[in-house]
Amino acid sequence: MTINPNAKLPEDESGTIVFSTDPLVIKYHYEIDYIHSYAQDSEFFRALGKHKLMGSKCKKCGYVYATPRAHCMMCGSETEWYELPLKGKVHTFTTCYFSGEEFLNETPFNLIMVEFEGVNSLFMSRLIGADTEDIYIGMPVKAKFRRNQKMNVTDVYFVPDVDK
Ligand SMILES: [Zn+2]
């Protein structure tokens, strides 16, 4: 048994970076390994490694989505996987001068909404290989895939399609 009223936690030489005192704002390092399930979207991410883009098609009304979607937002029925074309057009675009932490050091970058023939919804992706002033609505683009797949939506990106 120990009863020691003089017990102290160990001290070290590390400090805290203070950004402001009122309110008190400090720098606090935060890191976590997160085990994330792609669940019903798994096939979409596996397909990226095979250089395929998988959307979904409603089994009942035939609405085609450019993204994974288990159920149709038009009629509520189940969908099935639908292989998207790898070429499309810029429906609209934006230049990001600020972003979430992961892409912050890549700013500015261009995001596009891709329109595929025969597909009723759009697919958001990065467009590289074109300066912002050279991007236009209706611009032909084609999908490219990272050689070293990261099982992430950034495994696919778009470049100008000059074969047109
Ligand atoms: Zn439907």
Side-chain angles (χ1 to χ4, degrees):
M1 181 178 154
T2 302
I3 298 291
N4 179 5
N6 298 317
K8 285 182 179 175
L9 284 174
E11 300 288 344
D12 62 34
E13 297 299 312
S14 69
T16 297
I17 295 171
V18 176
F19 287 95
S20 90
T21 53
D22 189 18
L24 187 57
V25 177
I26 65 163
K27 183 176 182 176
Y28 184 82
H29 182 74
Y30 182 78
E31 194 177 304
I32 189 167
D33 287 320
Y34 183 66
I35 298 173
H36 177 78
S37 169
Y38 283 125
Q40 290 168 313
D41 292 344
S42 298
E43 178 56 22
F44 172 82
F45 292 94
R46 285 192 297 260
L48 294 178
K50 299 173 209 156
H51 298 186
K52 287 180 182 180
L53 277 177
M54 299 306 286
S56 24
K57 183 177 183 177
C58 177
K59 288 181 190 176
K60 192 174 172 194
C61 76
Y63 199 94
V64 181
Y65 298 89
T67 51
R69 179 178 280 274
H71 291 86
C72 180
M73 71 175 183
M74 304 306 281
C75 75
S77 299
E78 265 188 38
T79 64
E80 58 193 358
W81 290 107
Y82 178 90
E83 191 174 340
L84 299 167
L86 298 180
K87 292 183 173 201
K89 289 189 295 186
V90 172
H91 181 82
T92 191
F93 64 98
T94 189
T95 304
C96 297
Y97 293 94
F98 193 73
S99 82
E101 193 179 356
E102 192 178 347
F103 307 111
L104 203 50
N105 59 9
E106 295 170 41
T107 57
F109 56 81
N110 295 301
L111 286 182
I112 57 173
M113 295 300 288
V114 185
E115 189 181 313
F116 299 106
E117 201 166 317
V119 177
N120 302 108
S121 75
L122 305 169
F123 184 80
M124 187 171 74
S125 192
R126 181 86 67 94
L127 176 66
I128 65 166
D131 291 331
T132 301
E133 53 272 21
D134 297 325
I135 303 171
Y136 59 93
I137 289 167
M139 180 181 190
V141 290
K142 63 179 176 184
K144 275 193 134 178
F145 299 86
R146 280 186 200 270
R147 187 168 55 97
N148 296 324
Q149 193 185 11
K150 294 181 177 184
M151 297 293 178
N152 195 301
V153 74
T154 57
D155 286 343
V156 61
Y157 55 95
F158 283 76
V159 294
D161 178 16
V162 292
D163 305 333
K164 278 245 163 177

PDB file of all heavy atoms in Angstrom, residues 26-50:
ATOM      1  N   ILE A  26      -5.085  26.391 -29.247  1.00  0.00           N
ATOM      2  CA  ILE A  26      -3.792  25.721 -29.235  1.00  0.00           C
ATOM      3  C   ILE A  26      -3.680  24.758 -30.398  1.00  0.00           C
ATOM      4  O   ILE A  26      -4.684  24.365 -30.991  1.00  0.00           O
ATOM      5  CB  ILE A  26      -3.566  24.944 -27.907  1.00  0.00           C
ATOM      6  CG1 ILE A  26      -4.586  23.799 -27.778  1.00  0.00           C
ATOM      7  CG2 ILE A  26      -3.623  25.882 -26.705  1.00  0.00           C
ATOM      8  CD1 ILE A  26      -4.213  22.756 -26.755  1.00  0.00           C
ATOM      9  N   LYS A  27      -2.440  24.402 -30.712  1.00  0.00           N
ATOM     10  CA  LYS A  27      -2.207  23.384 -31.733  1.00  0.00           C
ATOM     11  C   LYS A  27      -2.199  22.028 -31.030  1.00  0.00           C
ATOM     12  O   LYS A  27      -1.493  21.841 -30.037  1.00  0.00           O
ATOM     13  CB  LYS A  27      -0.861  23.632 -32.420  1.00  0.00           C
ATOM     14  CG  LYS A  27      -0.569  22.650 -33.540  1.00  0.00           C
ATOM     15  CD  LYS A  27       0.729  23.010 -34.235  1.00  0.00           C
ATOM     16  CE  LYS A  27       0.992  22.068 -35.391  1.00  0.00           C
ATOM     17  NZ  LYS A  27       2.199  22.463 -36.129  1.00  0.00           N
ATOM     18  N   TYR A  28      -2.998  21.104 -31.548  1.00  0.00           N
ATOM     19  CA  TYR A  28      -3.109  19.788 -30.941  1.00  0.00           C
ATOM     20  C   TYR A  28      -3.011  18.756 -32.045  1.00  0.00           C
ATOM     21  O   TYR A  28      -3.812  18.755 -32.972  1.00  0.00           O
ATOM     22  CB  TYR A  28      -4.457  19.669 -30.208  1.00  0.00           C
ATOM     23  CG  TYR A  28      -4.639  18.387 -29.472  1.00  0.00           C
ATOM     24  CD1 TYR A  28      -4.081  18.213 -28.203  1.00  0.00           C
ATOM     25  CD2 TYR A  28      -5.378  17.350 -30.023  1.00  0.00           C
ATOM     26  CE1 TYR A  28      -4.249  17.021 -27.512  1.00  0.00           C
ATOM     27  CE2 TYR A  28      -5.547  16.152 -29.343  1.00  0.00           C
ATOM     28  CZ  TYR A  28      -4.986  15.996 -28.090  1.00  0.00           C
ATOM     29  OH  TYR A  28      -5.150  14.817 -27.410  1.00  0.00           O
ATOM     30  N   HIS A  29      -2.001  17.901 -31.988  1.00  0.00           N
ATOM     31  CA  HIS A  29      -1.828  16.900 -33.027  1.00  0.00           C
ATOM     32  C   HIS A  29      -2.850  15.788 -32.849  1.00  0.00           C
ATOM     33  O   HIS A  29      -3.050  15.295 -31.742  1.00  0.00           O
ATOM     34  CB  HIS A  29      -0.408  16.323 -32.977  1.00  0.00           C
ATOM     35  CG  HIS A  29      -0.163  15.315 -34.060  1.00  0.00           C
ATOM     36  ND1 HIS A  29       0.001  15.698 -35.372  1.00  0.00           N
ATOM     37  CD2 HIS A  29      -0.086  13.970 -34.043  1.00  0.00           C
ATOM     38  CE1 HIS A  29       0.179  14.607 -36.111  1.00  0.00           C
ATOM     39  NE2 HIS A  29       0.122  13.546 -35.327  1.00  0.00           N
ATOM     40  N   TYR A  30      -3.493  15.420 -33.958  1.00  0.00           N
ATOM     41  CA  TYR A  30      -4.546  14.423 -33.887  1.00  0.00           C
ATOM     42  C   TYR A  30      -4.357  13.446 -35.028  1.00  0.00           C
ATOM     43  O   TYR A  30      -4.229  13.832 -36.170  1.00  0.00           O
ATOM     44  CB  TYR A  30      -5.904  15.125 -34.019  1.00  0.00           C
ATOM     45  CG  TYR A  30      -7.084  14.215 -33.912  1.00  0.00           C
ATOM     46  CD1 TYR A  30      -7.514  13.764 -32.678  1.00  0.00           C
ATOM     47  CD2 TYR A  30      -7.784  13.817 -35.045  1.00  0.00           C
ATOM     48  CE1 TYR A  30      -8.621  12.932 -32.575  1.00  0.00           C
ATOM     49  CE2 TYR A  30      -8.886  12.984 -34.948  1.00  0.00           C
ATOM     50  CZ  TYR A  30      -9.303  12.550 -33.704  1.00  0.00           C
ATOM     51  OH  TYR A  30     -10.395  11.728 -33.607  1.00  0.00           O
ATOM     52  N   GLU A  31      -4.297  12.187 -34.739  1.00  0.00           N
ATOM     53  CA  GLU A  31      -4.073  11.182 -35.776  1.00  0.00           C
ATOM     54  C   GLU A  31      -4.790   9.912 -35.367  1.00  0.00           C
ATOM     55  O   GLU A  31      -4.790   9.536 -34.205  1.00  0.00           O
ATOM     56  CB  GLU A  31      -2.561  10.922 -35.856  1.00  0.00           C
ATOM     57  CG  GLU A  31      -2.136  10.183 -37.084  1.00  0.00           C
ATOM     58  CD  GLU A  31      -0.626  10.031 -37.136  1.00  0.00           C
ATOM     59  OE1 GLU A  31       0.074  11.054 -37.072  1.00  0.00           O
ATOM     60  OE2 GLU A  31      -0.181   8.882 -37.218  1.00  0.00           O
ATOM     61  N   ILE A  32      -5.377   9.282 -36.358  1.00  0.00           N
ATOM     62  CA  ILE A  32      -6.123   8.065 -36.031  1.00  0.00           C
ATOM     63  C   ILE A  32      -6.103   7.120 -37.229  1.00  0.00           C
ATOM     64  O   ILE A  32      -6.139   7.567 -38.369  1.00  0.00           O
ATOM     65  CB  ILE A  32      -7.576   8.423 -35.615  1.00  0.00           C
ATOM     66  CG1 ILE A  32      -8.309   7.206 -35.064  1.00  0.00           C
ATOM     67  CG2 ILE A  32      -8.351   9.053 -36.759  1.00  0.00           C
ATOM     68  CD1 ILE A  32      -9.610   7.531 -34.365  1.00  0.00           C
ATOM     69  N   ASP A  33      -5.992   5.839 -36.978  1.00  0.00           N
ATOM     70  CA  ASP A  33      -6.181   4.845 -38.029  1.00  0.00           C
ATOM     71  C   ASP A  33      -7.639   4.424 -37.977  1.00  0.00           C
ATOM     72  O   ASP A  33      -8.127   3.987 -36.936  1.00  0.00           O
ATOM     73  CB  ASP A  33      -5.286   3.621 -37.791  1.00  0.00           C
ATOM     74  CG  ASP A  33      -3.846   3.941 -38.096  1.00  0.00           C
ATOM     75  OD1 ASP A  33      -3.587   4.644 -39.085  1.00  0.00           O
ATOM     76  OD2 ASP A  33      -2.968   3.487 -37.341  1.00  0.00           O
ATOM     77  N   TYR A  34      -8.304   4.594 -39.087  1.00  0.00           N
ATOM     78  CA  TYR A  34      -9.723   4.362 -39.125  1.00  0.00           C
ATOM     79  C   TYR A  34     -10.005   3.155 -40.016  1.00  0.00           C
ATOM     80  O   TYR A  34      -9.576   3.126 -41.161  1.00  0.00           O
ATOM     81  CB  TYR A  34     -10.412   5.616 -39.665  1.00  0.00           C
ATOM     82  CG  TYR A  34     -11.911   5.539 -39.704  1.00  0.00           C
ATOM     83  CD1 TYR A  34     -12.643   5.455 -38.524  1.00  0.00           C
ATOM     84  CD2 TYR A  34     -12.588   5.563 -40.907  1.00  0.00           C
ATOM     85  CE1 TYR A  34     -14.017   5.383 -38.555  1.00  0.00           C
ATOM     86  CE2 TYR A  34     -13.973   5.492 -40.948  1.00  0.00           C
ATOM     87  CZ  TYR A  34     -14.674   5.398 -39.771  1.00  0.00           C
ATOM     88  OH  TYR A  34     -16.040   5.329 -39.804  1.00  0.00           O
ATOM     89  N   ILE A  35     -10.658   2.157 -39.495  1.00  0.00           N
ATOM     90  CA  ILE A  35     -11.001   0.977 -40.291  1.00  0.00           C
ATOM     91  C   ILE A  35     -12.366   1.222 -40.907  1.00  0.00           C
ATOM     92  O   ILE A  35     -13.377   1.326 -40.203  1.00  0.00           O
ATOM     93  CB  ILE A  35     -10.965  -0.300 -39.433  1.00  0.00           C
ATOM     94  CG1 ILE A  35      -9.529  -0.497 -38.921  1.00  0.00           C
ATOM     95  CG2 ILE A  35     -11.441  -1.499 -40.252  1.00  0.00           C
ATOM     96  CD1 ILE A  35      -9.365  -1.610 -37.927  1.00  0.00           C
ATOM     97  N   HIS A  36     -12.336   1.379 -42.219  1.00  0.00           N
ATOM     98  CA  HIS A  36     -13.504   1.852 -42.950  1.00  0.00           C
ATOM     99  C   HIS A  36     -14.000   0.782 -43.909  1.00  0.00           C
ATOM    100  O   HIS A  36     -13.237   0.248 -44.691  1.00  0.00           O
ATOM    101  CB  HIS A  36     -13.092   3.109 -43.724  1.00  0.00           C
ATOM    102  CG  HIS A  36     -14.158   3.678 -44.590  1.00  0.00           C
ATOM    103  ND1 HIS A  36     -15.193   4.428 -44.090  1.00  0.00           N
ATOM    104  CD2 HIS A  36     -14.356   3.602 -45.924  1.00  0.00           C
ATOM    105  CE1 HIS A  36     -15.978   4.792 -45.092  1.00  0.00           C
ATOM    106  NE2 HIS A  36     -15.501   4.306 -46.215  1.00  0.00           N
ATOM    107  N   SER A  37     -15.270   0.464 -43.864  1.00  0.00           N
ATOM    108  CA  SER A  37     -15.854  -0.500 -44.798  1.00  0.00           C
ATOM    109  C   SER A  37     -16.513   0.229 -45.961  1.00  0.00           C
ATOM    110  O   SER A  37     -17.282   1.167 -45.751  1.00  0.00           O
ATOM    111  CB  SER A  37     -16.908  -1.345 -44.084  1.00  0.00           C
ATOM    112  OG  SER A  37     -17.635  -2.094 -45.049  1.00  0.00           O
ATOM    113  N   TYR A  38     -16.227  -0.207 -47.166  1.00  0.00           N
ATOM    114  CA  TYR A  38     -16.922   0.343 -48.328  1.00  0.00           C
ATOM    115  C   TYR A  38     -18.270  -0.352 -48.551  1.00  0.00           C
ATOM    116  O   TYR A  38     -19.034   0.052 -49.425  1.00  0.00           O
ATOM    117  CB  TYR A  38     -16.059   0.221 -49.583  1.00  0.00           C
ATOM    118  CG  TYR A  38     -14.947   1.238 -49.675  1.00  0.00           C
ATOM    119  CD1 TYR A  38     -13.626   0.863 -49.852  1.00  0.00           C
ATOM    120  CD2 TYR A  38     -15.234   2.595 -49.594  1.00  0.00           C
ATOM    121  CE1 TYR A  38     -12.610   1.805 -49.943  1.00  0.00           C
ATOM    122  CE2 TYR A  38     -14.235   3.548 -49.680  1.00  0.00           C
ATOM    123  CZ  TYR A  38     -12.922   3.148 -49.860  1.00  0.00           C
ATOM    124  OH  TYR A  38     -11.939   4.084 -49.950  1.00  0.00           O
ATOM    125  N   ALA A  39     -18.494  -1.387 -47.789  1.00  0.00           N
ATOM    126  CA  ALA A  39     -19.784  -2.100 -47.820  1.00  0.00           C
ATOM    127  C   ALA A  39     -20.269  -2.326 -49.252  1.00  0.00           C
ATOM    128  O   ALA A  39     -19.540  -2.869 -50.073  1.00  0.00           O
ATOM    129  CB  ALA A  39     -20.812  -1.360 -46.972  1.00  0.00           C
ATOM    130  N   GLN A  40     -21.488  -1.872 -49.555  1.00  0.00           N
ATOM    131  CA  GLN A  40     -22.073  -2.119 -50.881  1.00  0.00           C
ATOM    132  C   GLN A  40     -21.358  -1.368 -52.006  1.00  0.00           C
ATOM    133  O   GLN A  40     -21.581  -1.667 -53.169  1.00  0.00           O
ATOM    134  CB  GLN A  40     -23.555  -1.715 -50.864  1.00  0.00           C
ATOM    135  CG  GLN A  40     -24.394  -2.646 -50.024  1.00  0.00           C
ATOM    136  CD  GLN A  40     -25.772  -2.084 -49.788  1.00  0.00           C
ATOM    137  OE1 GLN A  40     -25.918  -0.915 -49.440  1.00  0.00           O
ATOM    138  NE2 GLN A  40     -26.788  -2.911 -49.956  1.00  0.00           N
ATOM    139  N   ASP A  41     -20.508  -0.392 -51.643  1.00  0.00           N
ATOM    140  CA  ASP A  41     -19.762   0.346 -52.667  1.00  0.00           C
ATOM    141  C   ASP A  41     -18.450  -0.353 -53.036  1.00  0.00           C
ATOM    142  O   ASP A  41     -17.710   0.136 -53.899  1.00  0.00           O
ATOM    143  CB  ASP A  41     -19.432   1.765 -52.172  1.00  0.00           C
ATOM    144  CG  ASP A  41     -20.677   2.634 -52.024  1.00  0.00           C
ATOM    145  OD1 ASP A  41     -21.732   2.264 -52.572  1.00  0.00           O
ATOM    146  OD2 ASP A  41     -20.575   3.674 -51.360  1.00  0.00           O
ATOM    147  N   SER A  42     -18.134  -1.484 -52.404  1.00  0.00           N
ATOM    148  CA  SER A  42     -16.843  -2.162 -52.596  1.00  0.00           C
ATOM    149  C   SER A  42     -16.517  -2.412 -54.062  1.00  0.00           C
ATOM    150  O   SER A  42     -15.384  -2.201 -54.494  1.00  0.00           O
ATOM    151  CB  SER A  42     -16.821  -3.499 -51.841  1.00  0.00           C
ATOM    152  OG  SER A  42     -16.973  -3.256 -50.460  1.00  0.00           O
ATOM    153  N   GLU A  43     -17.492  -2.864 -54.833  1.00  0.00           N
ATOM    154  CA  GLU A  43     -17.244  -3.195 -56.239  1.00  0.00           C
ATOM    155  C   GLU A  43     -16.751  -1.977 -57.022  1.00  0.00           C
ATOM    156  O   GLU A  43     -15.895  -2.113 -57.902  1.00  0.00           O
ATOM    157  CB  GLU A  43     -18.502  -3.790 -56.886  1.00  0.00           C
ATOM    158  CG  GLU A  43     -18.374  -4.131 -58.368  1.00  0.00           C
ATOM    159  CD  GLU A  43     -17.224  -5.086 -58.705  1.00  0.00           C
ATOM    160  OE1 GLU A  43     -16.754  -5.824 -57.821  1.00  0.00           O
ATOM    161  OE2 GLU A  43     -16.785  -5.067 -59.878  1.00  0.00           O
ATOM    162  N   PHE A  44     -17.256  -0.797 -56.697  1.00  0.00           N
ATOM    163  CA  PHE A  44     -16.809   0.422 -57.376  1.00  0.00           C
ATOM    164  C   PHE A  44     -15.297   0.609 -57.193  1.00  0.00           C
ATOM    165  O   PHE A  44     -14.565   0.872 -58.153  1.00  0.00           O
ATOM    166  CB  PHE A  44     -17.557   1.645 -56.818  1.00  0.00           C
ATOM    167  CG  PHE A  44     -17.022   2.957 -57.326  1.00  0.00           C
ATOM    168  CD1 PHE A  44     -17.421   3.442 -58.570  1.00  0.00           C
ATOM    169  CD2 PHE A  44     -16.106   3.697 -56.584  1.00  0.00           C
ATOM    170  CE1 PHE A  44     -16.908   4.645 -59.054  1.00  0.00           C
ATOM    171  CE2 PHE A  44     -15.598   4.897 -57.062  1.00  0.00           C
ATOM    172  CZ  PHE A  44     -16.004   5.369 -58.300  1.00  0.00           C
ATOM    173  N   PHE A  45     -14.809   0.427 -55.965  1.00  0.00           N
ATOM    174  CA  PHE A  45     -13.379   0.644 -55.669  1.00  0.00           C
ATOM    175  C   PHE A  45     -12.508  -0.476 -56.234  1.00  0.00           C
ATOM    176  O   PHE A  45     -11.425  -0.220 -56.749  1.00  0.00           O
ATOM    177  CB  PHE A  45     -13.174   0.826 -54.158  1.00  0.00           C
ATOM    178  CG  PHE A  45     -13.796   2.113 -53.683  1.00  0.00           C
ATOM    179  CD1 PHE A  45     -15.087   2.129 -53.175  1.00  0.00           C
ATOM    180  CD2 PHE A  45     -13.108   3.308 -53.779  1.00  0.00           C
ATOM    181  CE1 PHE A  45     -15.680   3.321 -52.777  1.00  0.00           C
ATOM    182  CE2 PHE A  45     -13.686   4.504 -53.383  1.00  0.00           C
ATOM    183  CZ  PHE A  45     -14.972   4.507 -52.876  1.00  0.00           C
ATOM    184  N   ARG A  46     -13.002  -1.732 -56.181  1.00  0.00           N
ATOM    185  CA  ARG A  46     -12.254  -2.843 -56.791  1.00  0.00           C
ATOM    186  C   ARG A  46     -12.128  -2.625 -58.291  1.00  0.00           C
ATOM    187  O   ARG A  46     -11.074  -2.859 -58.881  1.00  0.00           O
ATOM    188  CB  ARG A  46     -12.969  -4.173 -56.516  1.00  0.00           C
ATOM    189  CG  ARG A  46     -12.809  -4.682 -55.098  1.00  0.00           C
ATOM    190  CD  ARG A  46     -13.286  -6.132 -54.986  1.00  0.00           C
ATOM    191  NE  ARG A  46     -14.707  -6.263 -55.278  1.00  0.00           N
ATOM    192  CZ  ARG A  46     -15.663  -6.363 -54.355  1.00  0.00           C
ATOM    193  NH1 ARG A  46     -15.347  -6.360 -53.076  1.00  0.00           N
ATOM    194  NH2 ARG A  46     -16.928  -6.491 -54.694  1.00  0.00           N
ATOM    195  N   ALA A  47     -13.204  -2.150 -58.916  1.00  0.00           N
ATOM    196  CA  ALA A  47     -13.213  -1.951 -60.374  1.00  0.00           C
ATOM    197  C   ALA A  47     -12.199  -0.888 -60.807  1.00  0.00           C
ATOM    198  O   ALA A  47     -11.638  -0.984 -61.904  1.00  0.00           O
ATOM    199  CB  ALA A  47     -14.614  -1.573 -60.840  1.00  0.00           C
ATOM    200  N   LEU A  48     -11.957   0.115 -59.966  1.00  0.00           N
ATOM    201  CA  LEU A  48     -10.975   1.150 -60.326  1.00  0.00           C
ATOM    202  C   LEU A  48      -9.615   0.521 -60.609  1.00  0.00           C
ATOM    203  O   LEU A  48      -8.894   0.958 -61.495  1.00  0.00           O
ATOM    204  CB  LEU A  48     -10.846   2.200 -59.206  1.00  0.00           C
ATOM    205  CG  LEU A  48     -12.070   3.084 -58.936  1.00  0.00           C
ATOM    206  CD1 LEU A  48     -11.780   4.025 -57.779  1.00  0.00           C
ATOM    207  CD2 LEU A  48     -12.475   3.868 -60.175  1.00  0.00           C
ATOM    208  N   GLY A  49      -9.290  -0.539 -59.859  1.00  0.00           N
ATOM    209  CA  GLY A  49      -8.025  -1.246 -60.054  1.00  0.00           C
ATOM    210  C   GLY A  49      -7.969  -1.985 -61.388  1.00  0.00           C
ATOM    211  O   GLY A  49      -6.898  -2.294 -61.892  1.00  0.00           O
ATOM    212  N   LYS A  50      -9.157  -2.269 -61.952  1.00  0.00           N
ATOM    213  CA  LYS A  50      -9.236  -2.916 -63.275  1.00  0.00           C
ATOM    214  C   LYS A  50      -9.485  -1.867 -64.356  1.00  0.00           C
ATOM    215  O   LYS A  50      -9.892  -2.202 -65.470  1.00  0.00           O
ATOM    216  CB  LYS A  50     -10.372  -3.949 -63.280  1.00  0.00           C
ATOM    217  CG  LYS A  50     -10.202  -5.057 -62.267  1.00  0.00           C
ATOM    218  CD  LYS A  50     -11.466  -5.929 -62.247  1.00  0.00           C
ATOM    219  CE  LYS A  50     -11.682  -6.541 -60.882  1.00  0.00           C
ATOM    220  NZ  LYS A  50     -13.090  -6.879 -60.643  1.00  0.00           N
TER     221      LYS A  50
END
